[in-house]
Amino acid sequence: MKNDIWEATRTSDLDEPMPSAPPRSPLLDAKVMMVDDEPLMTALIETHLEEAGYTNFVSTNDPREVLGLLRHEQPGVLLLDLMMPGISGFDLLEAIRADRNLRYTPVIVLTASTGADAKLRALQLGATDFLAKPVDASELVLRVRNTLAFHQYTDRMVNFDVVTQLPNERPFDRGIASLLAQSIVEGTDLALLSIEVPDCRLLRESVGQAAADQVARAIARRLTRFAEHENPSAAQGIPWERAPRVARLAADRFGLVLEGASSAHAVESAAKRLARTLSEPVGLGRHDTVPSVWIGIALAPGDGRSAEVLRKSADLAATHARQNGVLPVQFASAELNERSLERVLLGSQLRGAAERGELRVHYQPKVDLRSGRIVGAEALVRWQHADHGLLAPTRFVPLAEEMGLITAVGEWVAEQACRDAADWRRAGLGDLKVAINVTRLQFVTGDLCSVLRQAMFDAGLPPSQLVIELTESMLMDGIDDVLKLMHELKALGVTLSVDDFGTGYSSLSYLKRFPLNELKIDRSFVKDLPGSAADTSIVRTVVELGHSLGMSITAEGVETAEQRACLKDLGCDLFQGFVFSRPVPVEQFVELARNPPRG
Amino acid sequence: MRDLAERLGGEPVAGEPPTGATAAAATPAEAPDDDTPIVSRLAGHARLARIVSRFVAELPERLERMDAAAAAGDMVELASLAHWLKGSGGSMGFDQLYEPSLALEQAAKTGEAKIAGETLAELHRLERRIQRGVAAPTNEVAEAEA
């Protein structure tokens, strides 16, 4: 506990101004409740305490109100007059100490009695302290301060872990209850992580308490930093004092609450990051220790609608993780564990998939709306999995991003697409353009330009045949860097295209600044054509906008002949979609390009 | 603040007999002919002074109730009223009220009507001086009257 709570208040007869104001004591925010049948007395005491800096008061002159008011206000200290008509202070004190919820309220008894009897009796009934009447201001302020400080000290002892200073399970569980209530009202998700760190217990038995404490403190620091970083929304929600998001639940167990996670998968990857962070070495003087960390995840409301059930689920999952000893992160839900396990397996298989020749590129034709001729294709990656068959990118691209494999996968696709397009040219299919998708990671961190230059060079593909598709959100992400990179790409001679146009938040003024050649209208604007007047207007506007900026317009997801005709009428240049062809293996694409279907 | 209160005509804190701090109060406070105004120790503090003046305004009615209880021989009521004055008088900055209130409470409890009557009379005298202190709370007036 810090010492500052003893440096709480100045007394009211200290009138000279302080040279520099000391930091305000948290004790001054405590709620002080006063009970005296004499209204002048409560007014007087309140004024004295206000002089000393207290601001939060509740008072009553009717002893019958006291118990109800106490339950409602939960004051930090109660100043109780003993001699009152009707109910005496003794009776009230006795009732307070007998009430399960009020029993620990600090009570300072006010008495004008000179004899020892009244004081003894009040002490016997559990008075915390005395204040003699007539009331002396300095004595009043000091007794209130000391009582509050001691109460705060015991409160800390009861609610906080002495070693790490983290809250313990009492405030943590109470906090989960409020967070749960809020998340149910707002319909958001809440994840509870139970984190087992056996070293905090084992080190005590092998090396000593000091080493175990040092590890616990390191874990607490890392956990707190992580929680603040991962829970930015917590700043707006229920304050940490009322709902701590981090706690030490037992010698070898910590707790963490994550709010507003977008999916179970997002929680899982956060938990994995946390496990890595927590198991970094901790220096213990002569040697370091690498803590092993096991995390159990319970998700509300699926794994429990009460703090108790949720805690139990998460604790159990962490224990399972430790007992299995393989995966550091486990869900409480069996189904989520299965999916998580599948992802882990898939992830390990994805490593080396390119080398084993399991990755494929499929091509979806891009067709000229006026001539009906194929002018190019979008290259789309597939994974030919030994057990699961052909997997779409949604099944493994997020995994590849998480595992840091996406750059390698992207490079492989670029090389393969360049080789195929060069083959088409050599086969006499003309200068069909091939479009490849670039992920944010490749765009921001990878050496995209040199990879593409090398791929085109190795394949013998002229840059005019390569199209790079970026997403709208990538453009808006650090405008200046993006602009620089786009000009570098442009200098290679490739064509630049924006995918999913209309779904992001691009500003038209930025659009003007980017050296773009093509806008691809997102499928969501196409699917209700030609019936939807709104979508018709949007497509017409995008076409006009793009054309006026010198760009060509491609519509995605065209599934019916009506949509195709409508897009043609609206002046759209190219389209791709099932109405013409799904993405197909390269041999089939070549066949389509040679003998395009009529219509 | 205590200093200020004294200069405004207040008297030292309880414990020693209230002999009077002003030059005018040469005779003991118990003397029936002492009519020096008494001003509360807290009178120098604006917000406390407002509470004190409410107390002073209520004082005559409380003393009347004491008189009535004494006249009716209701010693329980008299003790209770004296107990109240013992606690609140000093709290309001009138330390002179403490000893007579204590004496009155004890006399009422032991049923000593004569002593009760004497202390009650003393309280009435103090009350009058307190009222005079409200009417003429400044040092200048106190000196002028001396």
Side-chain angles (χ1 to χ4, degrees), chain A residues 38 50-51 83 112 134-135, chain B residues 45 47 62 83-84 86 91:
Chain A
E38 171 58 70
E50 260 178 354
E51 278 292 292
M83 299 289 265
V135 171
Chain B
H45 185 293
R47 296 183 54 208
R62 297 283 185 146
H83 183 87
W84 166 84
K86 183 180 71 174
S91 299

Side-chain angles (χ1 to χ4, degrees), chain A residues 288-357:
Chain A
D288 289 354
T289 185
V290 179
S292 59
V293 173
W294 311 97
I295 299 179
I297 304 173
L299 299 173
D303 296 325
R305 287 173 163 272
S306 73
E308 197 191 347
V309 173
L310 211 56
R311 265 284 305 283
K312 219 177 263 174
S313 308
D315 288 351
L316 205 62
T319 306
H320 280 159
R322 174 172 52 77
Q323 285 166 348
N324 293 343
V326 184
L327 301 172
V329 174
Q330 286 245 322
F331 282 101
S333 140
E335 189 203 332
L336 287 176
N337 275 333
E338 212 164 286
R339 269 196 263 159
S340 159
L341 194 65
E342 185 198 283
R343 266 202 300 276
V344 170
L345 270 178
L346 217 54
S348 66
Q349 291 161 345
L350 184 59
R351 218 179 278 283
E355 288 79 0
R356 290 193 304 273

Side-chain angles (χ1 to χ4, degrees), chain A residues 183-231:
Chain A
S183 77
I184 287 169
V185 169
E186 294 178 359
T188 54
D189 288 324
L190 194 72
L192 174 62
L193 276 63
S194 172
I195 301 149
E196 222 183 297
V197 187
D199 299 69
C200 294
R201 179 171 39 84
L202 298 174
L203 277 170
R204 189 187 64 210
E205 290 152 15
S206 56
V207 182
Q209 187 68 53
D213 288 352
Q214 214 166 325
V215 171
R217 278 192 289 268
I219 296 286
R221 267 197 308 277
R222 293 169 185 178
L223 188 56
T224 305
R225 212 177 308 135
F226 185 86
E228 286 166 356
H229 186 258
E230 293 288 324
N231 263 339

Side-chain angles (χ1 to χ4, degrees), chain B residues 19-108:
Chain B
T19 52
T22 57
T27 48
E30 290 83 4
D33 56 343
D34 179 8
D35 60 355
T36 327
I38 299 176
V39 176
S40 165
R41 236 182 327 111
L42 310 176
H45 185 293
R47 296 183 54 208
L48 291 171
R50 274 200 294 279
I51 300 171
V52 171
S53 66
R54 277 163 57 199
F55 169 80
V56 172
E58 281 181 18
L59 204 49
E61 190 256 343
R62 297 283 185 146
L63 287 179
E64 274 169 31
R65 281 167 61 189
M66 289 188 199
D67 291 339
D74 185 349
M75 290 298 165
V76 175
E77 170 72 358
L78 185 58
S80 160
L81 285 162
H83 183 87
W84 166 84
L85 188 58
K86 183 180 71 174
S88 53
S91 299
M92 296 296 159
F94 297 110
D95 302 316
Q96 301 88 336
L97 292 172
Y98 181 78
E99 291 294 343
S101 305
L102 173 62
L104 179 60
E105 185 188 6
Q106 280 167 349

